[in-house]
Amino acid sequence: MAKYSTGSGGGGAGESCELCGTSGVELHSANVAGAQLEVCSDCAEHDDNAKTTSSSGDRDERERRKRAAQNTAQMHDAGTGDASHWEKGADYDDDQLPYLVDDYGQQLTKARQDAGLQLGELADELDLDESDLLAVEQGRATQANVGGSVIVALEEFLDVELSESR
C-alpha cells in the first residue's frame, strides 16, 4: 500500500515507492501533484516536472490550435470592431438572444428557488419548454438556441435581470 508522504524518506534502494508501494527498487525523487515523493521508475512518469518538457511536435500542435482559434475569432469579429460579446450572443433573426450577464444561470436558479418553484412548474407556468429553462440555468442558452422571448418571460415573471442593459 502506498504511503503518500511528502518525501521525508531518504531515497535509494530497499525502501518502497511512495506512490505504488513497490519495495526493494531504486527510487527517484519526483514532484507528483505538488508533493515531493520518492518513486520507482514505473511511477516516475507521473513526475510533474517531466511532463512540462514536451516534444517539438506537441508544441507545434498547441501553436496550430492557438492560431486556429485566433483565426476563428477574427472571422466572427470581422467588420464589427467589437469583439466583447461575440461568444455570448446568438445570431439568428426570429428571436434573438440578448447579451446575457455572466452569471445568468445562477441568477435564474436562485430566483426560481426563491419563488418556490420547481423547473417543471416554472415551465408550465410560462408555457415554455423545460429543456430551454434547464439550458438557461446551466448557462448554455446560446448553445441550446434559446430565444430572447424565453429570457424576457423569465425576467418579467421572476423579476430578475438576466440580460445586459445596452
Side-chain angles (χ1 to χ4, degrees):
M1 177 134 245
K3 53 185 176 176
Y4 297 101
S5 74
T6 58
S8 59
E15 296 182 21
S16 61
C17 174
E18 292 181 292
L19 200 56
C20 71
T22 301
S23 59
V25 294
E26 182 72 26
L27 298 177
H28 310 278
S29 184
N31 183 345
V32 180
Q36 197 64 30
L37 303 176
E38 295 297 319
V39 298
C40 66
S41 57
D42 290 336
C43 291
E45 69 184 46
H46 299 291
D47 186 353
D48 292 339
N49 295 331
K51 292 178 184 175
T52 59
T53 306
S54 62
S55 68
S56 63
D58 291 341
R59 281 192 301 270
D60 292 344
E61 178 64 15
R62 274 197 309 272
E63 284 299 314
R64 187 194 66 74
R65 288 180 186 210
K66 182 178 175 182
R67 283 192 310 274
Q70 289 169 339
N71 290 339
T72 301
Q74 288 172 355
M75 286 186 331
H76 285 284
D77 296 340
T80 65
D82 179 20
S84 63
H85 291 96
W86 74 264
E87 71 276 10
K88 290 183 182 178
D91 187 22
Y92 41 92
D93 295 328
D94 296 336
D95 192 11
Q96 285 188 339
L97 184 65
Y99 294 133
L100 300 171
V101 296
D102 287 335
D103 59 346
Y104 68 92
Q106 294 166 347
Q107 286 191 33
L108 175 60
T109 301
K110 183 179 180 332
R112 177 183 56 78
Q113 290 172 344
D114 288 347
L117 295 169
Q118 296 293 322
L119 198 62
E121 293 171 330
L122 180 59
D124 291 343
E125 184 72 32
L126 297 175
D127 195 29
L128 298 172
D129 287 337
E130 188 173 341
S131 62
D132 284 348
L133 296 184
L134 181 61
V136 175
E137 283 196 2
Q138 292 177 341
R140 35 179 206 88
T142 303
Q143 295 91 338
N145 290 327
V146 174
S149 59
V150 171
I151 301 300
V152 170
L154 291 168
E155 287 178 321
E156 290 175 357
F157 186 80
L158 295 172
D159 192 29
V160 64
E161 190 173 315
L162 304 174
S163 60
E164 292 181 0
S165 302
R166 293 192 122 234

